[in-house]
Amino acid sequence: MMGDFGEYIVYVDESGDHGLRNINPDYPVFVLAFCIIHKQDYLTKIVPKMQELKFRYFGHDMVVLHEAEIRKSRKPFDILLNPNVRRDFMGDLSAIIENSPFTLVASCIMKEEFSKKHGVDGNPYHVAMEFGLERVFMELQSRGQRGQLTHVVFEQRGLQEDQALELEFRRIKDRSRMEGLEETLDIVMASKKVNSAGLQLADMVARPIGRHLLNPDQPNRAFEILETKFRRSRAGQVRGWGLKVYP
């Protein structure tokens, strides 16, 4: 029934792969990032700023921002091979993320330790999703959204993976002991080609979190910006509230 939709939307993206058989020694972490955004803020603040950035640097808004392609200056981001353009673009993109009103929840799986505990057939994605959904729901509940249908948007990865993901999402809802979670959250699978500002925002935030966990002493401007966005306890605690690291 119309009118029962919640005031928020949640966009999800990942960094790193969730395979355990060949763990990349340079990036042995899997991060699932959830961006909780008030729909009004999304419509009036985030989307216009993203569009503006695209028109300014590309002349059109058909470009889909992908962190990996930006980092490697792959087409259409080969304009970033010019160091002055890269500096300006990264500054503008950072400013958008910094000024975008959203609350961040991230589940991070340290893969070496996880595989020792669960074996190579364990699924970090499913574990990360459960941690994330529970915290997203608790945040929504604290904002009076319990029972208001809130869509959680994931990017499609392939038919079999998508089916497994959707099945696991439903299982998490079915077995959750959190009253109200089942009727509050629902899944939306979006095509990789879809030009969604929310998914692009989520794509930008996942990797800096992983990099910070692996090298906490390394300067990481992107993480500094994100640190202010994490869900926190009343006492201001982030670990366990907005950032869950497992094991």
Side-chain angles (χ1 to χ4, degrees):
M1 208 172 90
M2 277 181 72
D4 286 345
F5 295 127
E7 294 167 36
Y8 291 83
I9 179 121
V10 183
Y11 294 96
V12 187
D13 209 351
E14 69 217 56
S15 173
D17 66 84
H18 57 276
L20 295 172
R21 290 184 185 277
N22 297 302
I23 297 173
N24 176 355
D26 296 326
Y27 198 74
V29 62
F30 176 76
V31 180
L32 201 57
F34 299 74
C35 296
I36 306 167
I37 311 173
H38 194 282
K39 289 174 183 173
Q40 204 53 39
D41 287 335
Y42 183 68
L43 290 170
T44 59
K45 295 173 183 169
I46 296 174
V47 172
K49 287 293 179 194
M50 284 268 203
Q51 301 298 80
E52 203 182 301
L53 178 88
K54 292 176 185 183
F55 281 125
R56 188 182 315 144
Y57 285 94
F58 304 98
H60 61 85
D61 62 346
M62 294 299 108
V63 173
V64 176
L65 301 175
H66 274 304
E67 188 276 335
E69 288 167 8
I70 291 170
R71 190 162 26 94
K72 294 170 183 170
S73 304
R74 287 195 197 125
K75 275 189 172 180
F77 303 102
D78 47 350
I79 60 164
L80 305 181
L81 292 167
N82 176 326
N84 295 334
V85 176
R86 173 172 275 276
R87 182 196 61 224
D88 293 347
F89 178 85
M90 295 312 287
D92 288 344
L93 183 57
S94 293
I96 289 174
I97 294 168
E98 192 164 7
N99 297 319
S100 289
F102 66 94
T103 299
L104 181 58
V105 166
S107 306
C108 309
I109 307 289
M110 309 313 275
K111 289 166 65 173
E112 299 281 4
E113 295 88 333
F114 183 91
S115 66
K116 282 177 194 148
K117 198 166 179 173
H118 297 276
V120 292
D121 294 323
N123 194 322
Y125 197 115
H126 292 173
V127 174
M129 181 162 62
E130 185 157 10
F131 287 142
L133 290 175
E134 286 175 351
R135 283 158 182 76
V136 165
F137 170 68
M138 287 189 279
E139 182 62 26
L140 290 168
Q141 182 165 260
S142 74
R143 298 184 189 196
Q145 297 298 301
R146 178 170 155 182
Q148 304 291 307
L149 186 60
T150 304
H151 292 100
V152 184
V153 185
F154 291 82
E155 197 172 63
Q156 290 174 349
R157 294 169 303 153
L159 188 61
Q160 274 181 310
E161 281 185 305
D162 295 346
Q163 285 173 341
L165 172 63
E166 198 160 339
L167 186 64
E168 187 59 25
F169 187 96
R170 309 260 174 239
R171 278 191 191 131
I172 290 168
K173 289 206 322 175
D174 287 346
R175 69 170 180 258
S176 176
R177 296 199 185 99
M178 290 187 181
E179 211 174 308
L181 182 143
E182 189 179 2
E183 58 267 30
T184 304
L185 302 180
D186 201 11
I187 191 170
V188 175
M189 300 297 297
S191 159
K192 270 192 182 301
K193 294 188 179 74
V194 75
N195 198 337
S196 156
L199 280 177
Q200 289 164 72
L201 181 70
D203 182 81
M204 294 298 132
V205 307
R207 187 177 170 86
I209 298 167
R211 285 259 64 104
H212 172 75
L213 287 173
L214 295 171
N215 307 300
D217 300 328
Q218 200 173 34
N220 185 333
R221 174 74 184 119
F223 183 79
E224 284 170 32
I225 291 170
L226 296 175
E227 213 165 4
T228 64
K229 308 285 185 186
F230 279 110
R231 174 179 182 257
R232 307 168 177 265
S233 71
R234 283 195 180 152
Q237 193 182 339
V238 169
R239 280 283 179 119
W241 289 76
L243 178 61
K244 171 70 178 175
V245 181
Y246 183 85

